[in-house]
Amino acid sequence: KDVQKEREPHVYLSKEEVKEKIQSYNSSVTDKLKMTLNANGIYTGFIKVQMELCRPITVQSSQSQGRCAPSNQETAFYLPDGCVNTLHISSTNTVQEVIEALLKKFFVADNPAKFALYKRCHKEDQVYTCKLSDREHPLYLRLVAGPKTEMLSFVLREHETGEVMWEAFSIPELQNFLRILDKEENDQLQILKNRYAAYRGKLEEALRGVLKPG
């Protein structure tokens, strides 16, 4: 079940409660991705983000990394389903900063405004997916929920079709999308042609057997 926005009230923890939560969290961790509490009260840790992208992403080549201007050394492709990435962040990092860091880590050239971070959780035998606002702090949500991804996981998606900021796409990106769609259309057309050619061959063969004299 998808929920448009996170509507739960936030309960802010005291410094002592944060310390206790982190100790409890670290005692339950099974993958060594523990949290660390600093003297200033800020804590750091890891979150895993599953990539559920329906549209192609644009990735910079090694020659164009670090440049601000669009480059012809950029490639658009579909990310494989189920790809999960791990980020090391702090309790002060917002959803927007997490999205930007995730894209930067993998040299994705697309505008971060095209994407949204969702949280997925289990409640009363149902799975809920809701979009987080830009001001949310993912590591705080991870701490409160505990380390089990069955209780809480993060998902990166594109904005819904009606929310797409097409002006955020560059001309080369849009042209790449069109080329990918043209290729997919041609591939599907060829599959259909091959399928019906096979059916036609079998039908003609059957007809020859029925009409064969004697």
Side-chain angles (χ1 to χ4, degrees):
K1 181 178 180 180
D2 282 3
V3 181
Q4 185 178 8
K5 284 281 187 181
E6 171 61 64
R7 295 188 178 89
E8 294 181 359
H10 287 270
V11 179
Y12 293 96
L13 305 177
S14 66
K15 193 171 182 178
E16 187 60 35
E17 287 173 328
V18 168
K19 183 178 179 180
E20 293 177 0
K21 279 280 188 184
I22 290 177
Q23 290 175 344
S24 175
Y25 183 98
N26 289 341
S27 66
S28 302
V29 166
T30 58
D31 55 10
K32 298 183 180 180
L33 299 181
K34 296 184 178 182
M35 293 195 187
T36 302
L37 179 61
N38 301 316
N40 58 6
I42 296 174
Y43 51 96
T44 59
F46 299 85
I47 62 169
K48 295 181 179 180
V49 182
Q50 183 169 348
M51 316 289 275
E52 292 186 355
L53 305 179
C54 300
R55 294 188 288 272
I57 58 173
T58 304
V59 177
Q60 296 176 335
S61 69
S62 57
Q63 291 84 0
S64 61
Q65 289 165 14
R67 299 177 184 174
C68 297
S71 168
N72 57 6
Q73 299 296 324
E74 295 177 350
T75 305
F77 67 94
Y78 283 98
L79 200 65
D81 291 335
C83 180
V84 177
N85 294 299
T86 302
L87 283 179
H88 185 250
I89 62 173
S90 80
S91 56
T92 61
N93 288 133
T94 63
V95 163
Q96 185 61 32
E97 290 171 334
V98 166
I99 293 174
E100 292 172 359
L102 187 62
L103 299 181
K104 183 178 179 180
K105 181 179 179 181
F106 296 96
F107 307 109
V108 177
D110 298 87
N111 191 321
K114 302 173 189 176
F115 304 94
L117 191 68
Y118 291 74
K119 79 169 186 177
R120 182 176 291 153
C121 54
H122 293 254
K123 292 181 182 179
E124 300 176 356
D125 298 326
Q126 292 193 60
V127 179
Y128 291 85
T129 302
C130 52
K131 184 166 65 175
L132 298 171
S133 67
D134 290 344
R135 67 179 181 275
E136 298 281 359
H137 297 88
L139 193 61
Y140 170 83
L141 298 176
R142 179 78 278 162
L143 175 63
V144 172
K148 294 183 179 179
T149 55
E150 295 84 0
M151 299 300 297
L152 171 72
S153 59
F154 295 103
V155 180
L156 184 72
R157 294 178 176 176
E158 301 97 341
H159 283 294
E160 299 298 331
T161 303
E163 303 175 4
V164 175
M165 300 174 61
W166 293 110
E167 64 274 12
F169 290 84
S170 66
I171 296 300
E173 285 179 311
L174 295 173
Q175 290 173 337
N176 273 332
F177 296 165
L178 287 175
R179 281 194 290 270
I180 290 173
L181 292 175
D182 286 340
K183 183 180 183 303
E184 289 185 343
E185 183 180 4
N186 291 332
D187 289 346
Q188 290 299 317
L189 183 60
Q190 190 59 48
I191 290 172
L192 289 174
K193 287 181 177 179
N194 293 340
R195 182 183 302 169
Y196 283 102
Y199 289 160
R200 182 184 183 89
K202 291 179 180 179
L203 181 57
E204 290 176 344
E205 183 179 352
L207 286 172
R208 285 195 296 270
V210 172
L211 299 177
K212 187 177 181 180

